[in-house]
C-alpha cells in the first residue's frame, strides 16, 4: 500500500506472535492445541509485587513520572546491578522503559546511522534484526553453530567486525537456544572487543536468573571492566519476576547514551506506567526467594523436554544452560512425509504440519536465523509439556 512508510518494507512481523495467534485461532475453533510458542513464564506475578502496585494506585501514584524512571526505581536498579553483577551505575546512568524491548529499541534508535552494522549472533531473538533495520542500520548475522552450543567464538566475532560495526548484540542465556556464555567464553569475546574500541556492546541479560545446574551467569562489563564505558547492560523484570504484562525493562550504561535514549522515549511513549514502576521497585527490593524456586521448576521441565525430544525419531535436542527454551534440530525429519501426507522440506514445513496434525504449536528455527531447528518454550505446565512431547514423538514416529 503506497500510503505506508518505506521502512515497513524492511521489517517483518514477529513470527513468535504469529504462531501464538494461529494456535489461539485453532483453539477458538475447538481444536485441542498445546501452545509452546509464547515466551513468558506461566507463573503468576508474586503477591508482594501485586500488593505494591495496588498500594501505588491507592496512594495516587498515578500521574506522569520522570520520563526514564522514578528515582526509587533507579535506586532499586542500581542496587540490583551492584548486588548481582558487581556493576556500579549512578542514577543518570540508568534508564527505565516499557519493557526491555523498548530499552533495546531506544538504544538502537539513539545510535544508528544509515550503513551502521550491528553484529547479531544467530540463532537470535526475532526482534533484533528487525529493530536494527527499522533504525536504518544493517544487521550482520553470525552463526553460533549447534556444535558450539549455539554460541559464537572469538574468531567468528573478529571476522565479522568492520570499520562500520557499531554494536555487538549479546544475549545470554539466549532466546531461542537457551545457550549461556560462561565467564571464560565472555573473556575470549572481550579480548577481541578490546582490540576494536569503536565497537560497543549491548548485552541483553533478560534471562539472567533462569540458569540451571552449576552454570554461573556473568555479564560482559563485569568480566572485562575496560568495556564498561562502551557497554549497555540491558535487563528487566518480565522473565525473572513473571511480570511480562507489566512492561518494565531497564539498562545501565554511559551517561550520554542513557540521556539520548531518554530523549527518544520522551518524544514517543514518555514514562512507563507509574504503577508498574512501583511494582518493579518491590520486585527488585523485596524478597528474591521465589527466583531459585522458579528456576528449579524450569530445570525439571527442561530435563523432561530434552529427554523426551531426544527419544523422538529424527530429533536431536541439546541441553541448554538457561532461559526456558530448547532449540532442537529437526534435520533428521526432512525429506520424509507425514501421516497426513505432507512432504517436509524445511523446518517451517515441520512446524506447520506438527500444528495441523498434532495440535502442537512451536516456532521454526528459520525465524530465529538458524535452520532446520525449532524452538519450544517450556514455560508451561509439566502435564502439557509431557503431552506435547508425546505428540511430537508420535508425529516423528509416523514419518515415512
Ligand atoms: C531475549 C529477549 N530480550 C528481550 C525481551 C523483551 O522482554 P520485555 O520487553 O518483556 O522486557 C525478550 C522477550 O521475549 C527476550 O526474549
Amino acid at each position: 500500500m503506497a500510503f505506508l512508510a518505506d521502512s515497513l518494507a524492511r521489517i517483518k512481523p514477529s513470527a513468535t506472535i504469529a504462531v501464538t495467534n494461529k494456535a489461539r485461532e485453532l483453539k477458538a475453533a475447538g481444536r485441542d492445541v498445546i501452545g509452546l510458542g509464547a515466551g513468558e513464564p506461566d507463573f503468576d506475578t508474586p503477591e508482594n509485587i501485586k500488593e505494591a502496585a495496588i498500594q501505588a494506585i491507592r496512594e495516587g501514584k498515578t500521574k506522569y513520572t520522570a520520563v526514564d524512571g522514578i528515582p526509587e526505581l533507579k535506586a532499586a536498579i542500581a542496587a540490583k546491578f551492584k548486588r548481582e553483577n558487581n556493576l556500579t551505575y549512578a542514577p543518570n546512568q540508568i534508564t527505565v522503559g516499557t519493557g526491555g524491548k523498548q530499552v533495546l529499541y531506544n538504544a538502537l534508535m539513539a545510535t544508528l546511522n544509515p550503513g551502521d552494522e550491528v553484529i547479531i549472533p544467530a540463532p537470535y531473538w526475532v526482534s533484533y534484526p528487525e529493530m536494527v533495520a527499522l533504525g536504518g542500520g544493517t544487521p550482520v548475522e553470525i552463526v553460533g553453530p549447534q556444535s558450539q552450543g549455539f554460541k559464537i567464538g572469538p574468531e567468528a566475532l573478529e571476522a565479522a567486525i568492520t570499520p562500520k560495526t557499531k554494536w555487538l548484540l549479546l544475549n545470554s542465556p539466549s532466546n531461542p537456544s537457551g545457550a549461556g556464555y560462561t565467564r571464560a567464553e565472555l573473556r575470549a569475546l572481550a579480548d577481541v572487543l578490546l582490540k576494536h574500541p569503536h565497537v560497543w556492546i549491548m548485552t541483553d541479560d533478560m534471562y539472567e536468573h533462569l540458569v540451571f545446574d552449576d552454570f554461573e551467569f556473568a555479564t560482559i562489563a563485569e568480566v572485562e571492566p575496560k568495556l564498561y564505558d562502551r557497554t549497555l547492560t540491558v535487563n528487566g523484570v518480565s522473565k525473572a519476576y513473571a511480570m511480562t504484562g507489566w512492561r518494565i525493562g531497564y539498562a545501565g550504561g554511559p551517561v550520554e547514551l542513557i540521556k539520548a535514549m531518554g530523549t527518544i522515549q520522551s518524544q514517543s511513549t514518555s514514562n512507563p506506567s507509574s504503577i508498574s514502576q512501583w511494582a518493579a521497585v518491590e520486585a527488585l527490593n523485596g524478597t528474591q526467594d521465589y527466583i531459585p524456586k522458579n528456576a528449579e521448576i524450569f530445570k525439571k521441565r527442561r530435563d523432561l523436554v530434552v529427554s523426551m525430544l531426544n527419544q523422538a525419531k529424527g530429533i536431536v535436542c541439546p541441553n541448554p544452560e538457561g532461559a526456558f527454551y530448547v532449540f532442537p534440530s529437526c534435520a533428521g525429519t526432512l525429506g520424509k512425509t507425514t501421516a497426513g501426507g505432507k512432504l517436509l522440506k524445511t523446518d517451517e514445513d515441520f512446524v506447520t504440519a506438527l500444528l495441523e496434525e498434532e495440535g502442537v504449536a512451536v516456532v521454526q528455527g528459520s525465524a530465529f536465523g538458524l535452520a532446520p531447528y525449532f524452538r519450544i518454550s517450556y514455560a508451561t505446565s509439566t502435564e502439557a509439556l509431557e503431552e506435547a512431547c508425546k505428540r511430537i514423538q508420535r508425529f516423528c514416529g509416523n514419518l515415512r
Side-chain angles (χ1 to χ4, degrees):
M1 191 177 150
F3 182 66
L4 299 178
D6 295 344
S7 60
L8 214 61
R10 294 201 293 267
I11 64 162
K12 49 183 187 295
S14 160
T16 45
I17 292 176
V19 169
T20 309
N21 288 345
K22 176 102 193 273
R24 199 175 287 139
E25 268 169 39
L26 286 175
K27 246 185 212 166
R31 285 279 305 275
D32 165 25
V33 173
I34 306 175
L36 305 180
E40 61 180 347
D42 52 320
F43 310 130
D44 198 6
T45 305
E47 282 306 315
N48 61 313
I49 299 174
K50 289 187 190 172
E51 278 307 322
I54 293 165
Q55 199 185 331
I57 295 173
R58 295 232 160 90
E59 290 173 1
K61 291 170 172 163
T62 53
K63 310 283 198 225
Y64 291 131
T65 73
V67 166
D68 66 352
I70 53 176
E72 291 82 351
L73 181 51
K74 287 193 175 191
I77 291 164
K80 177 261 178 258
F81 276 133
K82 190 77 216 156
R83 176 176 77 231
E84 296 177 348
N85 311 113
N86 197 26
L87 289 173
T88 305
Y89 290 114
N92 64 351
Q93 289 182 282
I94 291 172
T95 186
V96 184
T98 301
K101 203 170 201 169
Q102 188 185 25
V103 172
L104 293 160
Y105 186 81
N106 286 344
L108 292 168
M109 292 308 127
T111 55
L112 291 182
N113 289 314
D116 283 347
E117 295 174 358
V118 179
I119 298 175
I120 304 177
Y124 46 70
W125 184 41
V126 290
S127 293
Y128 296 149
E130 308 303 329
M131 284 186 189
V132 170
L134 206 51
T138 306
V140 175
E141 298 176 12
I142 49 175
V143 171
Q146 185 186 338
S147 58
Q148 283 174 213
F150 299 113
K151 292 178 258 190
I152 59 159
E155 299 80 17
L157 176 59
E158 180 78 64
I161 293 174
T162 77
K164 288 184 174 168
T165 307
K166 196 142 218 177
W167 289 102
L168 163 67
L169 237 168
L170 266 183
N171 172 217
S172 166
S174 150
N175 176 4
S177 69
Y181 285 80
T182 63
R183 197 168 279 271
E185 287 163 340
L186 289 175
R187 174 76 262 155
L189 296 182
D191 287 340
V192 174
L193 293 161
L194 286 175
K195 289 191 272 173
H196 301 278
H198 68 292
V199 179
W200 284 49
I201 305 99
M202 201 180 300
T203 175
D204 178 344
D205 299 348
M206 206 56 75
Y207 295 93
E208 167 177 12
H209 288 298
L210 301 172
V211 293
F212 316 125
D213 307 321
D214 46 10
F215 181 83
E216 274 180 35
F217 174 84
T219 191
I220 196 151
E222 180 199 8
V223 171
E224 178 44 273
K226 288 199 198 97
L227 294 175
Y228 173 86
D229 287 337
R230 49 182 168 117
T231 297
L232 185 71
T233 307
V234 182
N235 211 317
V237 296
S238 286
K239 316 285 175 173
Y241 301 95
M243 291 178 71
T244 46
W246 299 77
R247 313 304 307 126
I248 295 291
Y250 56 85
V255 174
E256 282 211 40
L257 173 62
I258 293 294
K259 193 170 156 215
M261 290 165 65
T263 304
I264 303 269
Q265 189 160 299
S266 74
Q267 298 298 13
S268 50
T269 60
S270 282
N271 64 276
S273 154
S274 59
I275 297 149
S276 295
Q277 289 190 68
W278 284 103
V281 170
E282 172 62 20
L284 294 171
N285 286 348
T287 174
Q288 308 291 306
D289 287 357
Y290 40 76
I291 290 181
K293 286 184 199 147
N294 288 353
E296 190 52 34
I297 295 171
F298 280 129
K299 177 196 141 48
K300 288 208 177 99
R301 292 176 181 171
R302 177 205 62 176
D303 291 346
L304 171 82
V305 170
V306 168
S307 149
M308 285 187 79
L309 288 177
N310 279 320
Q311 291 166 50
K313 233 173 134 190
I315 304 291
V316 176
C317 185
N319 196 34
E321 290 90 2
F324 39 64
Y325 309 103
V326 290
F327 200 63
S329 164
C330 57
T333 68
L334 300 187
K336 301 197 169 149
T337 303
T338 68
K342 291 265 161 57
L343 172 64
L344 301 181
K345 280 186 275 185
T346 63
D347 52 9
E348 195 165 357
D349 294 343
F350 177 91
V351 308
T352 306
L354 182 64
L355 180 56
E356 280 167 3
E357 298 183 21
E358 291 286 355
V360 177
V362 300
V363 187
Q364 67 276 18
S366 47
F368 307 97
L370 195 65
Y373 293 86
F374 61 100
R375 186 194 78 172
I376 286 186
S377 162
Y378 54 83
T380 191
S381 76
T382 307
E383 300 75 57
L385 287 172
E386 236 170 278
E387 173 60 21
C389 290
K390 274 189 205 150
R391 293 186 194 183
I392 294 172
Q393 288 175 352
R394 183 168 63 204
F395 178 80
C396 294
N398 285 338
L399 294 174
R400 291 292 167 261

